[in-house]
Amino acid sequence: MTHPAPTGWSRVTAKLPRTTSRLVRRLALASLISQIMIVVTGGAVRLTASGLGCPEWPRCTATSIVNTPEMGIHGVIEFGNRLLTFVLTAIAIAMVVSLWNLRKERKDLFRLAIALAAGIPAQAILGGITVLTQLNPWVVGWHFIVSMVLIVLATVLLNRVRLSTAQAASSASPLGSRLLRQILTAAAALTAITVFLGVIVTGSGPHAGDAGAARNNLDPDLMTRIHAAPVYLLVLTVAVALVLVYRESSAPRLRKSVELLAAVVLAQGAVGYLQHFLHLPVALVALHMLGASVLTAAMANSLYLAVSRKERATLTTNSAGAGSAGAGVASADLRDAR
């Protein structure tokens, strides 16, 4: 009995991972880092007044796909940010391809990878609308918010690629107690409100991306004060979560995630106040944008670990391999669930 010769695609898929290999995990990490970096470079475009460095879209000018020497440094910065989209696209495609053999047994990973890949052209279109509307602050704001959503998806993907197929299929009690899950859910909501209000503050401030770009005509001082209100609540909520993970002897991974979240919240709040009282220096505003991205990722990470019904399987596996010390950790985690 003869078998049909393998096609070119079947030869390719034969070489692709059949487990969540190191390659898959590295691509997931690259996805998160690249999503954060596109926010940073987008901030550089706005803060250097290069938002219309390429005044057309999808071309840079009416006659050129790339920036021209006459456009100067603003054209270089804006076109450089556009080029980074191709890096994100390459990572997203590589992520989808690497999961091809797992698309049925790990639908969770494959769907997340597809969502991240679909987000890139959506962001490109939003970026084009931003240019065509001459940097309308509301469009710019939505461009940023979509990036935050993609960072959340990339964070969840990075967590889930740690799970084996058996672990992903398991269902157990969440790592976080009911109270901790409620507190972190509230913190996530406050983070979302804080980021949204931060976008509105930005739209009322001086860094418009171009000297002629419109602002949203809201009072920047008033909007900053409104923006600060959920920040106070967020700091308090995360402090309560930090106390809970220690009092309840939570799993080390969950505890460390909340510790990281607390550090990021404090650092981001400090940078926010400093940039306000120093009248928005470019370097601090850029750092605050990076902080917003890291805060979003840290918040998504903590909430995922607290509410997921899959993570306890990793503790069971690790404890089985670690002997009596691991058994002690698993025992403590079971007490947390109760």
Side-chain angles (χ1 to χ4, degrees):
M1 179 178 179
T2 60
H3 297 280
T7 63
W9 178 242
S10 64
R11 285 195 295 268
V12 171
T13 57
K15 299 178 181 179
L16 295 176
R18 296 186 180 278
T19 63
T20 49
S21 64
R22 180 179 297 181
L23 172 63
V24 174
R25 293 193 295 271
R26 286 179 174 176
L27 285 171
L29 178 60
S31 296
L32 177 58
I33 292 173
S34 61
Q35 290 294 345
I36 293 175
M37 290 308 300
I38 196 72
V39 173
V40 174
T41 59
V45 169
R46 181 170 61 84
L47 295 170
T48 57
S50 303
L52 296 177
C54 284
E56 300 290 335
W57 189 87
R59 293 174 175 265
C60 194
T61 70
T63 58
S64 175
I65 295 177
V66 302
N67 60 298
T68 61
E70 294 78 15
M71 300 168 72
I73 188 63
H74 295 309
V76 171
I77 293 172
E78 164 63 4
F79 187 69
N81 184 58
R82 293 189 182 190
L83 283 179
L84 189 57
T85 301
F86 293 99
V87 176
L88 265 72
T89 301
I91 293 171
I93 291 174
M95 188 79 241
V96 171
V97 171
S98 72
L99 291 169
W100 186 257
N101 288 333
L102 295 168
R103 66 189 185 280
K104 293 181 180 179
E105 60 187 83
R106 292 302 305 273
K107 291 180 180 179
D108 57 328
L109 298 182
F110 195 69
R111 287 169 180 170
L112 283 167
I114 291 293
L116 283 168
I120 295 171
Q123 279 289 69
I125 292 172
L126 266 177
I129 296 172
T130 298
V131 171
L132 297 177
T133 57
Q134 302 295 296
L135 308 182
N136 181 292
W138 298 106
V139 179
V140 173
W142 280 112
H143 199 32
F144 182 81
I145 288 171
V146 171
S147 284
M148 296 301 104
V149 172
L150 294 176
I151 287 172
V152 170
L153 294 178
T155 302
V156 174
L157 175 63
L158 183 58
N159 273 287
R160 294 191 71 88
V161 294
R162 293 173 51 252
L163 304 174
S164 67
T165 300
Q167 290 168 343
S170 68
S171 183
S173 58
L175 290 185
S177 66
R178 181 179 180 183
L179 179 57
L180 180 61
R181 298 197 304 271
Q182 291 172 339
I183 291 295
L184 286 175
T185 299
L190 288 168
T191 298
I193 293 169
T194 298
V195 170
F196 180 76
L197 290 175
V199 166
I200 296 177
V201 172
T202 298
S204 68
H207 299 297
D210 186 81
R215 302 282 73 203
N216 60 23
N217 297 321
L218 298 174
D219 183 341
D221 187 61
L222 175 61
M223 292 312 305
T224 298
R225 293 176 185 276
I226 294 174
H227 172 55
V231 174
Y232 292 127
L233 294 174
L234 178 60
V235 171
L236 178 61
T237 305
V238 172
V240 172
L242 192 59
V243 170
L244 284 174
V245 293
Y246 277 97
R247 193 187 72 179
E248 298 173 353
S249 300
S250 296
R253 183 171 171 80
L254 176 56
R255 185 179 68 248
K256 289 177 181 178
S257 76
V258 177
E259 290 172 347
L260 175 62
L261 174 61
V264 172
V265 167
L266 290 177
Q268 179 71 340
V271 172
Y273 270 102
L274 191 59
Q275 71 166 5
H276 175 69
F277 290 114
L278 293 180
H279 306 292
L280 303 177
V282 167
L284 284 179
V285 175
L287 185 60
H288 200 50
M289 291 186 68
L290 172 62
S293 302
V294 175
L295 171 61
T296 299
M299 185 68 255
N301 183 53
S302 290
L303 183 59
Y304 171 83
L305 290 175
V307 305
S308 174
R309 294 185 175 274
K310 312 296 182 182
E311 287 296 319
R312 191 170 296 280
T314 64
L315 297 179
T316 303
T317 301
N318 292 339
S319 65
S324 59
V329 172
S331 175
D333 290 329
L334 290 173
R335 288 197 298 272
D336 294 346
R338 291 193 293 267

